[in-house]
Amino acid sequence: MPPKPIFPGSFDPITLGHVATVRLASRVFGGLTIVVAQNLEKNSLFTFEQRMDMTASAVKDIAGVSIDSFSGLLSDYIAQNGVGVVIRGVRNSMDFEYETQMSRLNAGLTGAVTLFFPSDPRYSHISSTMARQVAVLGGDVSGLVPSKIAGKLKMIINEQL
Ligand code: PNS
């Protein structure tokens, strides 16, 4: 049996949009592995450990979902783990352009296919960037991130301030 598809990302933090994609893709494939990027090109608000913790807690009730991580190139993780399918959520045409480029890069390096899942329209305006901004400025993140991690997220941010 081929390995489960992967759903890679920064998850800084995981949002309701990510969770909806995980639910949908894991229903289609009977599970998936979320792979959290350790080193990000952009500065992350949350540490790698915090991103792993929040991601794990947000998806713990979804059957067949496991969590792993990678550092460096995603294509190296794909090759080392025999991954055949990469899942990415797409919210709009800007995402589509970027994701197409990334999928071609990873396909060229590894042969893996990237499948795009259209975002749940209830969440297509949400991004981790927006959730970070709202949280840092003291706003209500309950419509942006899973309720299970909203408290934790605010606590981490309050500790940083
Ligand atoms: O959640 P994000 O930030 O959209 O996830 C992007 C991510 C981490 C999957 C992507 O930037 C990535 O694969 N980074 C690892 C470095 C790499 O492989 N870069 C080449 C493809 S952009």
Side-chain angles (χ1 to χ4, degrees):
M1 198 152 90
K4 285 191 274 190
I6 60 163
F7 181 50
S10 312
F11 305 107
D12 186 40
I14 188 165
T15 66
L16 285 169
H18 290 129
V19 174
T21 303
V22 169
R23 277 191 200 285
L24 184 60
S26 64
R27 210 173 71 212
V28 172
F29 287 100
L32 58 77
T33 302
I34 297 177
V35 288
V36 180
Q38 283 189 37
N39 317 308
L40 307 180
E41 294 104 75
K42 47 200 176 190
N43 282 338
S44 63
L45 177 61
F46 300 103
T47 64
F48 166 65
E49 288 74 20
Q50 289 166 341
R51 291 184 286 116
M52 283 290 277
D53 272 6
M54 286 191 281
T55 303
S57 119
V59 300
K60 81 167 179 276
D61 63 326
I62 310 176
V65 174
S66 50
I67 317 255
D68 197 3
S69 65
F70 73 103
S71 61
L73 281 174
L74 181 61
S75 55
D76 287 342
Y77 179 94
I78 291 172
Q80 282 155 17
N81 292 279
V83 172
V85 175
V86 178
I87 308 287
R88 293 285 287 171
V90 171
R91 291 164 298 189
N92 51 42
S93 57
M94 263 161 47
D95 277 357
F96 182 78
E97 295 293 327
Y98 171 69
E99 295 299 337
T100 300
Q101 200 179 2
M102 198 158 80
S103 73
R104 288 188 179 136
L105 178 83
N106 286 326
L109 292 171
T110 66
V113 62
T114 299
L115 298 181
F116 298 161
F117 278 71
S119 67
D120 184 318
R122 285 175 298 169
Y123 307 130
S124 54
H125 60 291
I126 298 176
S127 64
S128 295
T129 309
M130 194 180 285
R132 284 197 301 273
Q133 275 179 12
V134 172
V136 167
L137 297 172
D140 177 10
V141 291
S142 61
L144 306 174
V145 302
S147 53
K148 274 182 224 146
I149 67 155
K152 196 168 190 169
L153 185 137
K154 294 223 100 172
M155 202 178 73
I156 295 169
I157 285 172
N158 287 337
E159 278 166 8
Q160 288 181 4
L161 293 177

